[in-house]
């Protein structure tokens, strides 16, 4: 006999899944930061940065060094996951 279980989750619940606990770190350019986050102060074009983002994509931290972003995640008790 086989049992199948389904979990029903709303789009809003899915968007907040892992909030405050799970995040991701990825490379982002200063140009992309300026485009996606207009409130950020102007910075030189073409700089590679590393961003720590919450599970829903909200930026939490920017650094020019990936290890600093990982340290910030650990400090804030956020488990970074790989995003491909």
């Amino acid at each position: 006999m086989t049992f199948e279980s389904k979990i029903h989750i709303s789009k809003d619940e899915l968007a907040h899944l892992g909030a405050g606990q799970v995040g991701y770190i990825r490379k982002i350019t200063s140009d992309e930061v300026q485009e996606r986050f207009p409130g950020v102060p102007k910075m030189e074009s073409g700089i590679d940065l590393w961003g720590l983002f919450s599970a829903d994509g909200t930026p939490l931290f920017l650094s020019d060094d990936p290890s600093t972003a990982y340290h910030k995640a650990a400090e804030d008790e956020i488990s970074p996951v790989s995003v491909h």
Side-chain angles (χ1 to χ4, degrees):
M1 182 181 281
T2 305
F3 293 97
E4 192 173 306
S5 177
K6 291 184 181 181
I7 298 173
H8 296 281
I9 187 168
S10 72
K11 287 181 182 181
D12 189 51
E13 291 170 323
L14 182 61
H16 292 94
L17 192 65
Q21 299 171 338
V22 177
Y24 61 95
I25 295 171
R26 74 174 184 90
K27 187 184 272 189
I28 185 170
T29 67
S30 57
D31 301 313
E32 190 177 354
V33 170
Q34 296 295 163
E35 288 173 19
R36 297 180 75 197
F37 313 107
V40 173
K42 288 280 187 194
M43 60 181 81
E44 188 177 326
S45 179
I47 300 171
D48 286 334
L49 301 167
W50 291 88
L52 170 61
F53 297 85
S54 68
D56 68 357
T58 302
L60 302 174
F61 182 77
L62 287 173
S63 174
D64 61 351
D65 177 44
S67 63
T68 305
Y70 279 98
H71 283 104
K72 179 63 175 167
E75 181 181 289
D76 291 350
E77 298 181 356
I78 295 172
S79 298
V81 297
S82 295
V83 179
H84 300 279

